[in-house]
Amino acid sequence: MTTPPPSNLKAACWMAGWITLMLTMAVVGREVTREIDAFQVMELRALIGIVLIYPLVYMHGGLRTMKTAYPARHLARNVVHYGAQYSWFVALGLIPLAQVISIEFTMPIWTAILAVIFLGERMNAWKIAAILFGILGVLIIVRPEAGRIDPGQAWALASSVGFAVSVVMIKALTRTDSVVRILFWMLVIQAILGAVPAYLVWQPVPTHLWGFMLAVAFCGTFSHYCMARAMLYADATVVVPMDFIRVPATAIAGWLIYAEGIDAFTVSGASLILLGNLLNLKQAGTARVR
């Protein structure tokens, strides 16, 4: 498989797509999960996603080109990712959203460590600074409560670590498989994994929720396409800190859609996040491990 030349700018553009789709999915997902169990939502997302992605599969040669020499890697990655998604949904129901977001955004720490250990990526001072600025900015915005770790916090931490492992696995897979193939197997494997859990909680989807459900499937499918494309152009330790922008973006969406206020903490935190990302994009290397 031909690897495109490194480009922080192209990686940033694909990550902008990821952030936009994830932000949209957060809003429509909130509406859907008020009435539909998370297992069913995840199953419908996978099944609808297979239909949505088929045009891309067809453009890349059809189902015969979806064969992979590394089925075990795809299976392992999607078992981890499916578990991380479920953990995140459980955490949402147990602890305040601010705590979930705060813990979720420790993911770049785990991603950076795993990428250095398993992918051979280098952790230079600029990458470390980007991560530290991002983490500090997130903490300022969400201001998590101090105290013991309750079960909800443990679920959130599990999801953060799981997402980090998934990101590193995607980066490894982009060296051997196309983005479309990675996405195709994600949807197929997760549809199979979630069939039984979804069946046990299945209920008819109300008519007024189908639009939201289709949006969840579209955003959930093509957000991963954007993430995987970004991984083709830059190291995981460059790509993942860009996701910090999703925190102030979510705050703005909350203000516009739900009339949630934006205070000085949000402005200060967002400034640190943007500073960290500017340092990362300007100075971080994009050398590939061949």
Side-chain angles (χ1 to χ4, degrees):
M1 192 181 97
T2 302
T3 302
S7 172
N8 283 342
L9 177 60
K10 290 182 179 180
C13 289
W14 282 109
M15 281 303 292
W18 156 270
I19 291 168
T20 300
L21 292 172
M22 288 297 293
L23 179 58
T24 303
M25 189 169 70
V27 175
V28 296
R30 171 186 284 185
E31 301 302 319
V32 170
T33 52
R34 287 175 177 174
E35 300 183 48
I36 301 295
D37 188 271
F39 277 129
Q40 184 175 348
V41 172
M42 292 164 65
E43 182 67 9
L44 285 170
R45 170 194 164 186
L47 293 173
I48 298 172
I50 292 173
V51 176
L52 293 175
I53 198 179
Y54 184 76
L56 282 177
V57 172
Y58 180 80
M59 291 170 56
H60 284 76
L63 293 176
R64 61 183 178 82
T65 63
M66 294 298 104
K67 293 181 180 179
T68 177
Y70 304 95
R73 295 183 184 180
H74 285 275
L75 177 61
R77 183 253 158 175
N78 283 289
V79 167
V80 172
H81 186 262
Y82 189 88
Q85 285 186 90
Y86 179 75
S87 298
W88 188 75
F89 278 116
V90 171
L92 282 177
L94 295 176
I95 58 177
L97 183 59
Q99 289 190 23
V100 176
I101 294 174
S102 176
I103 297 172
E104 177 190 354
F105 273 82
T106 63
M107 182 186 75
I109 297 175
W110 316 120
T111 302
I113 294 172
L114 291 169
V116 170
I117 295 173
F118 294 106
L119 300 181
E121 295 185 7
R122 296 181 178 181
M123 179 61 71
N124 59 33
W126 297 108
K127 292 180 180 180
I128 293 174
I131 290 173
L132 291 178
F133 275 119
I135 291 292
L136 181 58
V138 170
L139 292 175
I140 290 175
I141 290 174
V142 302
R143 303 183 297 283
E145 298 176 4
R148 64 180 183 84
I149 297 180
D150 63 23
Q153 293 170 331
W155 279 108
L157 181 59
S159 72
S160 178
V161 175
F163 285 136
V165 173
S166 177
V167 166
V168 172
M169 286 180 166
I170 288 177
K171 178 63 177 178
L173 283 169
T174 59
R175 297 172 177 173
T176 58
D177 287 335
S178 70
V179 171
V180 174
R181 187 182 299 155
I182 293 170
L183 189 54
F184 172 80
W185 283 112
M186 180 193 80
L187 295 168
V188 170
I189 292 172
Q190 293 196 16
I192 295 172
L193 288 174
V196 173
Y199 173 78
L200 295 175
V201 298
W202 198 270
Q203 61 176 302
V205 179
T207 303
H208 68 278
L209 287 182
W210 272 112
F212 291 111
M213 193 64 250
L214 290 172
V216 168
F218 179 87
C219 295
T221 298
F222 291 102
S223 62
H224 285 275
Y225 180 79
C226 292
M227 170 67 81
R229 291 294 301 179
M231 290 291 183
L232 286 176
Y233 291 104
D235 288 345
T237 45
V238 175
V239 170
V240 172
M242 299 180 195
D243 195 31
F244 283 120
I245 297 174
R246 185 155 47 101
V247 179
T250 301
I252 294 173
W255 173 61
L256 292 174
I257 299 171
Y258 299 108
E260 298 174 352
I262 300 179
D263 54 22
F265 291 101
T266 300
V267 175
S268 300
S271 298
L272 285 175
I273 291 169
L274 290 174
L275 176 60
N277 277 279
L278 288 174
L279 290 174
N280 189 47
L281 290 172
K282 182 178 179 179
Q283 300 290 346
T286 56
R288 304 301 184 85
V289 179
R290 299 291 183 181

